[in-house]
Each structure stands twice: as structure tokens, then as C-alpha cells.
Amino acid sequence: MEEKKFRFKEGSFLELLNYKDLLYQLVARDIKLKYRRSFLGYVWSILNPLLIMIIMSIVFTLLFNKKTEYFPVYLMCGRTVFEFIKTATTKSMDAITGNASLLKKTYVSKFMFPMSKITASMVDFVFSLGAMVVLMAALSLIDGVFLFSWKNIGIVIVIIEAYIFSMGLGFFLAALDVFFRDIKYIYNAILTMWLYMSAIFYNIGLFYDRAAKQKKLGETQTAYILAKFIDYCNPAYIYIKQFRAFVWSPVISDVPFWQVMAPKDFILGFGYAFLMFFIGVAVFRKTQDKFILYI
Amino acid sequence: MNEYIVDVDKVTVRFNKASENIDNLKEYFVKLVRHELMFKEFLALKDVDLKIRPCEAWAIIGTNGSGKSTLLKVISRILKPYKGSVKVNGTVASLIELGAGIDPKLTARENIYLNGCILGYSKKFVQSKFDEIVEFSELEDFLDTPVKNFSSGMKSRLGFSVATMVKPDILIVDEVLSVGDVLFRKKCMNKMNEMLADGTTLLFVSHNMETCKDMCDHALWLNKGEVVMSGEIGPIADEYLTTIEARKAKEKAQKKKKQQELDKKAKEIAARKAAKQ
């Protein structure tokens, strides 16, 4: 006979721990259903980012005159990280409204639903790194140099940062979606803007070049302000930058390991992650009792 | 220690009965500008008191819309009361709707684990009870079939078996047994009686007074969110039935009166027609 133990307070974030087996079940279900349904399964899921990478690499190498070395790797780093934040947050946005029938009939920690979506996306993100491996292996073969480095392990830090950040944003959006269903469309527009502001297919150096030109002409250096803004205030870019420091930078130059990651990015990265996390959890906790009246 | 296992103290539950539910930003802003954001209060429960001692079996009776389900939802923590407090000392298994957490895309086996976990049990524990659940649900041959191919009776069998795998301190049943065939319904009743004999406290909602009288020793009569009577089931059931009968008779009388008036009118019209000709 087992006693149901409820060690953590009802409605708190830590209450999730009372249901950790359920979290595992829900995440496993999402992953299983995703790969069970498609014909090629896992191969398909890494084929898709590879194809997109090839198309974008061709387009953007033709478009920009300033060349970025190993552009496919550069691009892939940005896309993988951004794609994770995007899928995790959009999926968790539907988590409460999509499980309305369940929430009306049983009591479960409400944090469970966004949390399981975000965690499933995180696992998916780790799986999708296979595409990165394929790409780098192919480039290693073509160029005859071994592009992998032990510094690549550092991406674990980025995954943790992005995971915490996505949780915060995901909880916030999940709560908001209950009260305002059209927030989805607004968030979609925001995501597009965010994508262009995250220096995924261009190099942020472009802005500094432009600023230098503006300076020469005596104009206000708007490009400089924009570049600084992206550099300091866009968490997605901070994660992408760190990811590149661990994967792309070792490919193009042999930086000593203590210079791999800028401490500024590390502090800002975790700072934004925890800030977003606490905002998200606080909003979710405050509003969760009213969910049932709106779903 | 508290002598009550369920202590519902002056609970009020409030809903918004506004003509349309505002659930998007666009409408919200339009209404805000036009000053049309209103809150029409609707109290589903008003100052309801319910104190249950361990081992009692309570029937909750009342007509449709009297707040029975709302009360059960408050006790099973799904709804938070607007005023008042609810204290529950013990584990609750609520059968408000069977198979609430069933995912049609998963197989029966996967669903048993998923539902067990939703109820707050560990995977290991569900594993140890797995055979028992399967045996009770009589679904041995369909374990690896996706639940979307199940009939509704099979689904509710699965739901009931998972929900009752452990003897809870408090069992909440809300008219779930109306589905399923006679044999399975009987099996469920037997299981519930077994639990009752084992010392489980029961909260039961049904419109069938006979079943209520069979299963329960106490009753709470709700009408439009207010307690009409509460206590021993015998007198309450009688009083309830007489009220219902009286209301039925009244309605019948009204109907008769209306019919008579209509007949009268028809006769008049016929008479007039005849006079014209």
C-alpha cells in the first residue's frame, strides 16, 4: 500500500515534483507520438533543418558581400537555438487551453502542462543536434580538417540557460492565453520580429560597419544603437552567441579555452533566464485559480 | 485532530454570468473603450456547509443546476471557493467524469500509466497494480490497441478501473455509472460497496433516489446553490420526493389549465365560424 504524499504546497511551482512521474509520462508521450507517426522517424526530423540550412546558406551567401567563414555552421547554430525557444514557447502557450477538459475534471498541478511541453521541446532540441553533427562531419570530410572540438561540450550551459528562459516565457504565455485567445497571433508577429533581431543569418558585424559609415557621413549612429541593443537586451541572441562560441568559433580560430565564453554573456544569459523564470512563475501562480472560469 | 474528514465551511462559489465571455484582447479593448466590461455575478453555491465524519456516505440531491457538481468540484480541489474554506483530510478519488485524462492516440497500456500518474501515483506503484487494473477492466485482449478504437463503455471501464485501484479515504462519484452495461455497473456498485465496508467515505450524486437510499446514510439537499436540508437520508429523501411530486402535480395542473383554455378558444373560433356561415 502506498500513501499519496503531497510534500510540496498546492499551487506552488515545486508541487511539480510531487508529479514527477507524470511529467516523465507526458514528455515521453509527446516524443513517442512525434517520432511514431512519421515514416522516417528520427531521420526526417534532422533532414528538415538540414534542407532549410542548405537553402538559406545558398540564398544568404549570394545576398551578402561580406563573407562569414563556415556560414552553414554559423547559420545552423543560430537556427537550432532560436527554433527551440520558438517551439517551446508556442507549444506551452496552448498547454492550458488545450487540456481544458482534463483540468475541469481532475486536480493536477497546472504547471505540469506547459512544463511538459517545454521539456519535450528541450529533448527534441537535443535530438535535433544530430543535424549539426551531420553538417560538421560532412564539412570535415570536404575540407579535410577535423571540425569537432572538446569545447563543444559547453553547449550544455546554453541548453540550461535557454531551457530556464523558455520555462519562464512559456508559463507567462500559457497564463495569458487563457484570458486572451488572440495572443497567439500577436506572439507570432513578435516571433518574426525577434527572428530578424537575433542575428541568425547575418553577422552583427554588419551593423558596426554600417555605424562606421554613418559616422563618416556625420549621421546619428542608429546602427550602433541597434547593435548594442541586440547585444545586451535580446536573450535569444545572447544564447545564440554563446552557442556559436562553443561550436562555430573553435572551427574558425583556435581560441584558448579561457576565452571561449565571454563572462558578460554568461552573466546576462543566466540573468535573463532567471528573471523571465520568476516573472513567468509569479504570473502563472497568481492567475491559476481563475483558469477554470475561462477555459 | 479534526473530527471531520471533509469540512466545507460557508463556501460560496462565484461565476461570471456576463452575456458573452470575453476571451480575447480585441474584444477586451473594444468593451473597455465602450465601458461595457461588466461582471454579472452568479453564485453557484451560497454559504454551503457540509461536515462529513469518516465512514459516512452522503448523497447529494437536487434538481439540475442546483450546484451539486460544483460542490463536488470544490471538494476535489478543481474549483477554488470564492468565500469560505474547504478542508479535506485524506486522499480523494473523484469520479466526476470517467477517463478524463485518457489520450485517444495512446494504447490502453500507456493510458493506464498516464492516468495513474495524473491521479498522483508513481509509475512503480501503477506497475504493481497493473494486473489488478487490467483484470477488473476486462480489457486483456485490447491492451495494445489505441484507445480511439474503443467503445465508450470500454473507455469508462478503463477509467473506473484506474480511478479505483487504491482504496481512497474519500470517494466522489458523480453519476458516472450511467454508462457501461448492466454487468459492469453491478461490478462497480459491488466495488463501491466493498470500499464503503472498508471504511471509505462516500460522496454520491444521483437522481435515482432508490440507489441513493441504498448506498448512503446521509443526504444534502441543494436548491439553486443553497442548502435546503441536510442530515439523515430517510426524512430528506421523503421530503424531496414529496416536493418533486408536488411540483410535478403543479406543473400538470398548469398544463391542464392551459389546455382547457386552448380548447375553449378553439370552440369559440369554431362557433364564430359556424355563425358566419
Side-chain angles (χ1 to χ4, degrees), chain B residues 176-215:
Chain B
V176 277
L177 300 177
S178 47
V179 278
D181 54 33
V182 184
L183 279 176
F184 191 73
R185 212 182 309 168
K186 213 167 181 184
K187 206 169 166 184
C188 293
M189 283 293 178
N190 284 344
K191 179 117 184 177
M192 275 159 61
N193 278 326
E194 206 178 281
M195 283 180 168
L196 275 179
D198 252 7
T200 295
T201 308
L202 178 74
L203 267 159
F204 188 68
V205 165
S206 178
H207 286 292
N208 188 341
M209 276 329 265
E210 287 311 308
T211 334
C212 282
K213 269 189 189 164
D214 275 356
M215 306 276 299

CSV table of all heavy atoms in Angstrom, one decimal, chain B residues 176-215:
chain,number,residue,atom,x,y,z
B,176,VAL,N,-21.5,8.8,-12.8
B,176,VAL,CA,-20.6,8.2,-13.8
B,176,VAL,C,-21.1,6.8,-14.3
B,176,VAL,O,-20.7,6.4,-15.3
B,176,VAL,CB,-19.2,8.1,-13.4
B,176,VAL,CG1,-18.5,9.4,-13.6
B,176,VAL,CG2,-19.1,7.6,-12.0
B,177,LEU,N,-21.9,6.2,-13.4
B,177,LEU,CA,-22.2,4.8,-13.7
B,177,LEU,C,-23.3,4.6,-14.7
B,177,LEU,O,-23.8,3.5,-14.9
B,177,LEU,CB,-22.5,4.1,-12.4
B,177,LEU,CG,-21.3,4.2,-11.4
B,177,LEU,CD1,-21.6,3.5,-10.1
B,177,LEU,CD2,-20.1,3.5,-12.0
B,178,SER,N,-23.8,5.7,-15.2
B,178,SER,CA,-24.9,5.6,-16.2
B,178,SER,C,-24.4,4.9,-17.5
B,178,SER,O,-25.3,4.5,-18.3
B,178,SER,CB,-25.5,6.9,-16.4
B,178,SER,OG,-24.6,7.9,-16.7
B,179,VAL,N,-23.1,5.0,-17.7
B,179,VAL,CA,-22.6,4.3,-18.9
B,179,VAL,C,-22.2,2.9,-18.6
B,179,VAL,O,-22.0,2.5,-17.4
B,179,VAL,CB,-21.5,5.0,-19.6
B,179,VAL,CG1,-22.0,6.2,-20.5
B,179,VAL,CG2,-20.5,5.5,-18.6
B,180,GLY,N,-21.9,2.1,-19.6
B,180,GLY,CA,-21.5,0.7,-19.4
B,180,GLY,C,-22.7,-0.2,-19.3
B,180,GLY,O,-23.8,0.2,-19.0
B,181,ASP,N,-22.4,-1.5,-19.5
B,181,ASP,CA,-23.5,-2.4,-19.4
B,181,ASP,C,-23.9,-2.8,-18.0
B,181,ASP,O,-23.2,-2.4,-17.0
B,181,ASP,CB,-23.2,-3.7,-20.3
B,181,ASP,CG,-21.9,-4.3,-19.8
B,181,ASP,OD1,-21.6,-4.2,-18.6
B,181,ASP,OD2,-21.2,-4.9,-20.7
B,182,VAL,N,-25.0,-3.5,-17.9
B,182,VAL,CA,-25.6,-3.8,-16.6
B,182,VAL,C,-24.6,-4.6,-15.7
B,182,VAL,O,-24.4,-4.3,-14.5
B,182,VAL,CB,-26.9,-4.6,-16.7
B,182,VAL,CG1,-27.5,-4.8,-15.4
B,182,VAL,CG2,-27.8,-3.9,-17.7
B,183,LEU,N,-23.9,-5.5,-16.3
B,183,LEU,CA,-23.0,-6.3,-15.6
B,183,LEU,C,-21.8,-5.5,-15.0
B,183,LEU,O,-21.5,-5.6,-13.8
B,183,LEU,CB,-22.4,-7.4,-16.5
B,183,LEU,CG,-23.3,-8.6,-16.7
B,183,LEU,CD1,-22.6,-9.6,-17.7
B,183,LEU,CD2,-23.6,-9.3,-15.4
B,184,PHE,N,-21.3,-4.6,-15.8
B,184,PHE,CA,-20.2,-3.8,-15.3
B,184,PHE,C,-20.7,-2.8,-14.3
B,184,PHE,O,-20.0,-2.6,-13.3
B,184,PHE,CB,-19.5,-3.1,-16.4
B,184,PHE,CG,-18.2,-2.5,-16.0
B,184,PHE,CD1,-17.1,-3.2,-15.7
B,184,PHE,CD2,-18.1,-1.1,-15.8
B,184,PHE,CE1,-15.9,-2.7,-15.3
B,184,PHE,CE2,-16.9,-0.5,-15.4
B,184,PHE,CZ,-15.8,-1.3,-15.2
B,185,ARG,N,-21.9,-2.3,-14.5
B,185,ARG,CA,-22.4,-1.4,-13.5
B,185,ARG,C,-22.5,-2.1,-12.1
B,185,ARG,O,-22.2,-1.5,-11.1
B,185,ARG,CB,-23.8,-0.9,-14.0
B,185,ARG,CG,-24.0,0.6,-13.5
B,185,ARG,CD,-25.4,1.0,-13.9
B,185,ARG,NE,-25.6,0.8,-15.4
B,185,ARG,CZ,-26.8,0.9,-15.9
B,185,ARG,NH1,-27.8,1.2,-15.2
B,185,ARG,NH2,-27.0,0.7,-17.2
B,186,LYS,N,-23.0,-3.3,-12.2
B,186,LYS,CA,-23.1,-4.1,-11.0
B,186,LYS,C,-21.8,-4.3,-10.3
B,186,LYS,O,-21.6,-4.2,-9.1
B,186,LYS,CB,-23.8,-5.4,-11.3
B,186,LYS,CG,-24.6,-5.9,-10.2
B,186,LYS,CD,-25.5,-7.1,-10.7
B,186,LYS,CE,-26.4,-7.6,-9.6
B,186,LYS,NZ,-27.1,-8.8,-10.0
B,187,LYS,N,-20.8,-4.6,-11.1
B,187,LYS,CA,-19.4,-4.8,-10.6
B,187,LYS,C,-18.9,-3.5,-9.9
B,187,LYS,O,-18.3,-3.6,-8.9
B,187,LYS,CB,-18.5,-5.1,-11.8
B,187,LYS,CG,-17.3,-5.9,-11.5
B,187,LYS,CD,-16.7,-6.4,-12.8
B,187,LYS,CE,-15.3,-6.9,-12.5
B,187,LYS,NZ,-14.6,-7.3,-13.7
B,188,CYS,N,-19.2,-2.4,-10.5
B,188,CYS,CA,-18.8,-1.1,-10.0
B,188,CYS,C,-19.5,-0.9,-8.6
B,188,CYS,O,-18.8,-0.4,-7.7
B,188,CYS,CB,-19.1,0.1,-10.9
B,188,CYS,SG,-18.2,0.0,-12.4
B,189,MET,N,-20.8,-1.1,-8.6
B,189,MET,CA,-21.5,-1.0,-7.4
B,189,MET,C,-20.9,-1.9,-6.3
B,189,MET,O,-20.8,-1.4,-5.1
B,189,MET,CB,-23.0,-1.4,-7.6
B,189,MET,CG,-23.8,-0.3,-8.3
B,189,MET,SD,-24.0,1.1,-7.3
B,189,MET,CE,-24.8,2.2,-8.4
B,190,ASN,N,-20.6,-3.1,-6.6
B,190,ASN,CA,-20.0,-4.0,-5.7
B,190,ASN,C,-18.7,-3.5,-5.1
B,190,ASN,O,-18.4,-3.5,-4.0
B,190,ASN,CB,-19.8,-5.4,-6.3
B,190,ASN,CG,-21.1,-6.1,-6.5
B,190,ASN,OD1,-22.1,-5.8,-5.8
B,190,ASN,ND2,-21.0,-7.1,-7.3
B,191,LYS,N,-17.9,-2.9,-6.1
B,191,LYS,CA,-16.6,-2.4,-5.7
B,191,LYS,C,-16.8,-1.2,-4.7
B,191,LYS,O,-16.1,-1.1,-3.7
B,191,LYS,CB,-15.8,-1.9,-6.9
B,191,LYS,CG,-14.5,-1.4,-6.6
B,191,LYS,CD,-13.4,-2.2,-7.2
B,191,LYS,CE,-12.0,-1.6,-6.8
B,191,LYS,NZ,-10.9,-2.4,-7.3
B,192,MET,N,-17.8,-0.4,-5.0
B,192,MET,CA,-18.1,0.8,-4.2
B,192,MET,C,-18.5,0.3,-2.8
B,192,MET,O,-18.1,0.9,-1.8
B,192,MET,CB,-19.1,1.7,-4.8
B,192,MET,CG,-18.4,2.7,-5.8
B,192,MET,SD,-19.5,3.4,-7.0
B,192,MET,CE,-20.7,4.2,-6.0
B,193,ASN,N,-19.4,-0.7,-2.8
B,193,ASN,CA,-19.9,-1.2,-1.5
B,193,ASN,C,-18.7,-1.8,-0.7
B,193,ASN,O,-18.7,-1.6,0.5
B,193,ASN,CB,-21.0,-2.2,-1.7
B,193,ASN,CG,-22.3,-1.6,-2.0
B,193,ASN,OD1,-22.6,-0.6,-1.4
B,193,ASN,ND2,-23.1,-2.2,-2.9
B,194,GLU,N,-17.8,-2.5,-1.4
B,194,GLU,CA,-16.7,-3.0,-0.8
B,194,GLU,C,-15.8,-2.0,-0.1
B,194,GLU,O,-15.4,-2.1,1.1
B,194,GLU,CB,-15.9,-3.7,-1.8
B,194,GLU,CG,-15.0,-4.9,-1.4
B,194,GLU,CD,-14.3,-5.4,-2.6
B,194,GLU,OE1,-14.9,-6.2,-3.4
B,194,GLU,OE2,-13.1,-5.0,-2.9
B,195,MET,N,-15.6,-0.9,-0.8
B,195,MET,CA,-14.9,0.2,-0.3
B,195,MET,C,-15.5,0.8,0.9
B,195,MET,O,-14.9,1.2,1.9
B,195,MET,CB,-14.7,1.3,-1.4
B,195,MET,CG,-13.7,1.0,-2.4
B,195,MET,SD,-13.6,2.3,-3.6
B,195,MET,CE,-12.1,1.9,-4.4
B,196,LEU,N,-16.9,1.0,0.8
B,196,LEU,CA,-17.6,1.5,1.9
B,196,LEU,C,-17.5,0.7,3.2
B,196,LEU,O,-17.2,1.2,4.3
B,196,LEU,CB,-19.1,1.6,1.6
B,196,LEU,CG,-19.6,2.8,0.8
B,196,LEU,CD1,-21.0,2.7,0.5
B,196,LEU,CD2,-19.3,4.1,1.6
B,197,ALA,N,-17.5,-0.6,3.0
B,197,ALA,CA,-17.4,-1.5,4.1
B,197,ALA,C,-16.0,-1.4,4.7
B,197,ALA,O,-15.8,-1.6,5.9
B,197,ALA,CB,-17.7,-3.0,3.6
B,198,ASP,N,-15.0,-1.1,3.8
B,198,ASP,CA,-13.6,-0.9,4.2
B,198,ASP,C,-13.3,0.4,5.0
B,198,ASP,O,-12.2,0.6,5.4
B,198,ASP,CB,-12.7,-1.0,3.0
B,198,ASP,CG,-12.0,-2.3,3.0
B,198,ASP,OD1,-12.3,-3.2,3.8
B,198,ASP,OD2,-11.1,-2.5,2.1
B,199,GLY,N,-14.4,1.2,5.0
B,199,GLY,CA,-14.1,2.5,5.8
B,199,GLY,C,-13.9,3.7,4.9
B,199,GLY,O,-13.4,4.7,5.3
B,200,THR,N,-14.3,3.6,3.6
B,200,THR,CA,-14.1,4.8,2.7
B,200,THR,C,-15.3,5.7,2.9
B,200,THR,O,-16.5,5.2,3.1
B,200,THR,CB,-14.0,4.4,1.3
B,200,THR,OG1,-12.8,3.6,1.1
B,200,THR,CG2,-14.0,5.6,0.3
B,201,THR,N,-15.1,7.0,2.9
B,201,THR,CA,-16.2,7.9,3.0
B,201,THR,C,-16.7,8.2,1.6
B,201,THR,O,-15.9,8.3,0.6
B,201,THR,CB,-15.7,9.2,3.6
B,201,THR,OG1,-15.0,8.9,4.8
B,201,THR,CG2,-16.8,10.2,3.8
B,202,LEU,N,-18.0,8.2,1.4
B,202,LEU,CA,-18.6,8.3,0.0
B,202,LEU,C,-19.4,9.6,-0.1
B,202,LEU,O,-20.1,10.0,0.8
B,202,LEU,CB,-19.5,7.1,-0.3
B,202,LEU,CG,-20.1,7.1,-1.6
B,202,LEU,CD1,-19.2,6.8,-2.7
B,202,LEU,CD2,-21.3,6.1,-1.6
B,203,LEU,N,-19.2,10.2,-1.3
B,203,LEU,CA,-20.0,11.4,-1.7
B,203,LEU,C,-20.6,11.0,-3.0
B,203,LEU,O,-19.9,10.7,-3.9
B,203,LEU,CB,-19.1,12.6,-1.9
B,203,LEU,CG,-19.0,13.5,-0.6
B,203,LEU,CD1,-17.8,14.4,-0.8
B,203,LEU,CD2,-20.2,14.4,-0.5
B,204,PHE,N,-21.9,11.0,-3.1
B,204,PHE,CA,-22.6,10.4,-4.2
B,204,PHE,C,-23.6,11.3,-4.8
B,204,PHE,O,-24.4,11.9,-4.0
B,204,PHE,CB,-23.2,9.1,-3.7
B,204,PHE,CG,-23.8,8.2,-4.8
B,204,PHE,CD1,-22.9,7.6,-5.7
B,204,PHE,CD2,-25.1,8.0,-4.9
B,204,PHE,CE1,-23.4,6.8,-6.7
B,204,PHE,CE2,-25.7,7.2,-5.9
B,204,PHE,CZ,-24.8,6.6,-6.7
B,205,VAL,N,-23.6,11.5,-6.1
B,205,VAL,CA,-24.6,12.3,-6.7
B,205,VAL,C,-25.4,11.5,-7.6
B,205,VAL,O,-24.9,10.8,-8.5
B,205,VAL,CB,-24.0,13.5,-7.5
B,205,VAL,CG1,-25.0,14.1,-8.4
B,205,VAL,CG2,-23.5,14.5,-6.6
B,206,SER,N,-26.7,11.4,-7.5
B,206,SER,CA,-27.6,10.7,-8.4
B,206,SER,C,-29.0,11.2,-8.4
B,206,SER,O,-29.4,11.8,-7.4
B,206,SER,CB,-27.6,9.2,-8.0
B,206,SER,OG,-28.4,8.5,-8.8
B,207,HIS,N,-29.7,11.0,-9.4
B,207,HIS,CA,-31.1,11.4,-9.5
B,207,HIS,C,-32.0,10.2,-9.1
B,207,HIS,O,-33.2,10.4,-8.9
B,207,HIS,CB,-31.5,11.9,-10.8
B,207,HIS,CG,-30.9,13.3,-11.1
B,207,HIS,ND1,-31.3,14.4,-10.4
B,207,HIS,CD2,-29.9,13.7,-11.9
B,207,HIS,CE1,-30.6,15.4,-10.8
B,207,HIS,NE2,-29.8,15.0,-11.8
B,208,ASN,N,-31.3,9.1,-9.0
B,208,ASN,CA,-32.1,7.9,-8.6
B,208,ASN,C,-32.2,7.7,-7.1
B,208,ASN,O,-31.2,7.4,-6.5
B,208,ASN,CB,-31.4,6.7,-9.3
B,208,ASN,CG,-32.2,5.4,-9.1
B,208,ASN,OD1,-33.1,5.4,-8.3
B,208,ASN,ND2,-31.9,4.5,-9.9
B,209,MET,N,-33.4,8.1,-6.5
B,209,MET,CA,-33.5,8.1,-5.1
B,209,MET,C,-33.3,6.7,-4.5
B,209,MET,O,-32.8,6.5,-3.4
B,209,MET,CB,-34.9,8.6,-4.7
B,209,MET,CG,-35.0,10.1,-4.6
B,209,MET,SD,-33.4,10.9,-4.2
B,209,MET,CE,-33.6,11.1,-2.5
B,210,GLU,N,-33.7,5.6,-5.2
B,210,GLU,CA,-33.5,4.3,-4.7
B,210,GLU,C,-32.1,3.9,-4.5
B,210,GLU,O,-31.7,3.5,-3.4
B,210,GLU,CB,-34.2,3.3,-5.7
B,210,GLU,CG,-35.7,3.3,-5.7
B,210,GLU,CD,-36.3,3.3,-4.3
B,210,GLU,OE1,-35.9,2.3,-3.5
B,210,GLU,OE2,-37.1,4.1,-4.0
B,211,THR,N,-31.2,4.3,-5.5
B,211,THR,CA,-29.8,4.0,-5.3
B,211,THR,C,-29.2,4.8,-4.2
B,211,THR,O,-28.4,4.3,-3.4
B,211,THR,CB,-29.1,4.4,-6.6
B,211,THR,OG1,-29.9,4.3,-7.7
B,211,THR,CG2,-27.8,3.5,-6.8
B,212,CYS,N,-29.6,6.1,-4.1
B,212,CYS,CA,-29.1,6.9,-3.0
B,212,CYS,C,-29.5,6.3,-1.7
B,212,CYS,O,-28.6,6.2,-0.8
B,212,CYS,CB,-29.8,8.3,-3.1
B,212,CYS,SG,-29.1,9.3,-4.4
B,213,LYS,N,-30.7,5.8,-1.5
B,213,LYS,CA,-31.1,5.3,-0.2
B,213,LYS,C,-30.3,4.0,0.1
B,213,LYS,O,-30.0,3.7,1.2
B,213,LYS,CB,-32.6,5.0,-0.3
B,213,LYS,CG,-33.5,6.1,0.2
B,213,LYS,CD,-34.9,5.6,0.4
B,213,LYS,CE,-35.8,6.8,0.6
B,213,LYS,NZ,-37.2,6.3,0.4
B,214,ASP,N,-30.0,3.2,-1.0
B,214,ASP,CA,-29.3,2.0,-0.8
B,214,ASP,C,-27.9,2.3,-0.3
B,214,ASP,O,-27.4,1.6,0.5
B,214,ASP,CB,-29.2,1.2,-2.2
B,214,ASP,CG,-30.4,0.4,-2.4
B,214,ASP,OD1,-31.2,0.3,-1.5
B,214,ASP,OD2,-30.5,-0.2,-3.5
B,215,MET,N,-27.2,3.3,-1.0
B,215,MET,CA,-25.8,3.5,-0.7
B,215,MET,C,-25.5,4.4,0.4
B,215,MET,O,-24.5,4.2,1.1
B,215,MET,CB,-25.2,4.1,-2.0
B,215,MET,CG,-25.4,3.3,-3.3
B,215,MET,SD,-24.2,2.0,-3.5
B,215,MET,CE,-22.7,2.8,-3.6
